[in-house]
Amino acid sequence: MAHRFTHRNLPQQLLKARDALMTHFRPVLNHYGLTEQQWRILRALDEHAQLEPREICALCQILSSSMAGILARMEETGLVQRSRIEADQRRLLISLAPKGDALIDHMAPLIELQYQYLEQAFGKHALEALSSALEGFIDAQAKPVARVALPPITSL
């Protein structure tokens, strides 16, 4: 059978690469009882101090329908805290709670050491090149890209 596609399945490759990378970090997250989503939120809050839930969704690639439950559980366990924006009481700001901040203090050296091990295994240049390529691809999304015209659906 002839191949119907000439381009590689880039979304599948990205998923496989992400999963391969996360195998190096999951043991640390599991040791501290965190999900990957919770870790992404903690890391974003560590980098940005405080964020609105919609900003966390965008930064952490978490659907808004899941965010409320995740944040509620993280608040219950003392990892994050919520506060209202004075100028608009309908809006919330999320920040690290003292327990979340302390958790990052414990985890950061382990995460950084794991990155050093990755650099030793794959080369610092290779990881920097990968990061730069991904940043470039993400930044390029600001450029308009034509989309295929979809045909009417007929019975297959």
Side-chain angles (χ1 to χ4, degrees):
M1 180 154 119
H3 291 285
R4 293 185 259 192
F5 299 100
T6 57
H7 290 86
R8 293 182 178 166
N9 189 341
L10 189 55
Q12 188 68 31
Q13 287 178 300
L14 288 168
L15 287 169
K16 284 181 180 180
R18 179 193 176 283
D19 194 56
L21 183 61
M22 285 307 299
T23 63
H24 301 282
F25 295 98
R26 280 188 194 110
V28 178
L29 303 184
N30 292 339
H31 179 75
Y32 287 98
L34 292 176
T35 67
E36 291 177 33
Q37 292 167 322
Q38 290 171 328
W39 174 245
R40 292 196 308 262
I41 291 169
L42 291 174
R43 182 87 191 244
L45 291 173
D46 185 58
E47 292 174 9
H48 297 277
Q50 57 185 12
L51 294 164
E52 291 186 54
R54 64 176 174 75
E55 294 172 312
I56 298 172
C57 288
L59 284 170
C60 299
Q61 298 297 296
I62 299 172
L63 297 174
S64 60
S65 58
S66 301
M67 184 59 68
I70 295 168
L71 289 176
R73 286 185 293 282
M74 291 179 77
E75 188 175 28
E76 286 170 13
T77 58
L79 296 176
V80 300
Q81 54 196 12
R82 302 175 194 218
S83 60
R84 298 269 177 207
I85 296 175
E86 286 188 32
D88 186 348
Q89 289 292 305
R90 297 169 295 173
R91 293 171 54 202
L92 289 173
L93 284 176
I94 310 297
S95 60
L96 290 172
K99 182 178 176 181
D101 194 52
L103 181 59
I104 290 177
D105 279 342
H106 285 280
M107 293 178 69
L110 299 172
I111 297 294
E112 287 299 314
L113 182 59
Q114 191 62 57
Y115 273 111
Q116 290 174 15
Y117 291 158
L118 289 168
E119 287 176 352
Q120 290 170 7
F122 304 119
K124 186 174 183 171
H125 177 73
L127 291 179
E128 287 175 354
L130 175 60
S131 182
S132 292
L134 291 171
E135 284 177 7
F137 183 78
I138 292 165
D139 291 343
Q141 298 310 300
K143 298 176 186 173
V145 177
R147 296 188 186 237
V148 298
L150 299 173
I153 296 178
T154 59
S155 61
L156 298 175

